[in-house]
Amino acid sequence: MLSKFFSKRTGKENDDVVVYARTIEKRIDEASLDIFREYKRILLKESNIYIVAAVWGAIKDGDLTTEQKEIHARISPVIREALGLLLQNSSNAQQNFAIGYLVRALFISKIIYMAEFYKNLSGNQAHSADDMDMDHQKNNLKDIEPLGHA
């Protein structure tokens, strides 16, 4: 299924694949940043497992918090959109799960990275999540750019 993306391509075909991948990447980046901005105080206080449960919409022992349910509700449409684009011709349940797993893992990684980056950035300037105000920091998360693309 994914072999069509990884086979040797030239010219216009290669550009189409890159545009396609960057479209998905942009949606995930925007959603991750929006979620971090809205829930940063909670995400900075809780362990990283908190966001894992929110992205998956389930927790092993117990119930999701109201905020985790809200995060899941905001992430779910973006996950469905990405999966719709990635799984256009696939009906294999194992492939569907694997790709869904990877998309969710990407969300989790991005949001946890933002939280850890912000904790490190603010570590010398504030002592608690309540003292942190992302809007007044010199280095805002919206300015973070990856050093490259796959």
Side-chain angles (χ1 to χ4, degrees), residues 24-25 39 48 52 60 72 82 84 93 98 100 104 110 114 128 149:
I24 295 170
E25 178 185 40
Y39 298 97
N48 291 337
V52 173
K60 185 176 180 180
H72 182 71
R104 285 174 178 85
K110 286 183 176 286
M114 288 177 197
S128 74
H149 293 281

Side-chain angles (χ1 to χ4, degrees), residues 18-147:
V18 172
V19 169
Y20 181 75
R22 287 199 178 145
T23 299
I24 295 170
E25 178 185 40
K26 182 179 178 186
R27 290 284 291 129
I28 291 173
D29 286 349
E30 289 171 350
S32 297
L33 185 56
D34 289 345
I35 287 164
F36 182 76
R37 283 180 178 153
E38 185 163 339
Y39 298 97
K40 71 179 179 288
R41 295 196 188 288
I42 294 167
L43 295 172
L44 292 172
K45 288 179 185 177
E46 296 292 338
S47 73
N48 291 337
I49 300 302
Y50 185 90
I51 194 62
V52 173
V55 170
W56 279 95
I59 193 166
K60 185 176 180 180
D61 298 318
D63 296 322
L64 296 175
T65 66
T66 302
E67 291 82 8
Q68 285 173 311
K69 291 176 185 175
E70 291 171 3
I71 291 169
H72 182 71
R74 291 181 64 177
I75 286 176
S76 291
V78 180
I79 290 173
R80 280 192 302 274
E81 179 184 347
L83 293 178
L85 292 170
L86 292 169
L87 301 171
Q88 291 177 358
N89 297 320
S90 176
S91 60
N92 182 319
Q94 291 86 4
Q95 288 176 335
N96 292 355
F97 179 80
I99 293 173
Y101 182 92
L102 293 173
V103 170
R104 285 174 178 85
L106 182 58
F107 258 114
I108 291 165
S109 297
K110 286 183 176 286
I111 294 170
I112 288 173
Y113 175 81
M114 288 177 197
E116 294 302 320
F117 177 85
Y118 192 73
K119 286 176 190 177
N120 289 334
L121 176 72
S122 302
N124 296 329
Q125 300 170 5
H127 294 99
S128 74
D130 291 331
D131 294 336
M132 297 178 194
D133 185 358
M134 185 168 58
D135 297 330
H136 294 96
Q137 295 292 333
K138 290 180 186 176
N139 298 316
N140 198 326
L141 287 172
K142 72 177 181 172
D143 297 327
I144 294 175
E145 297 242 357
L147 294 176

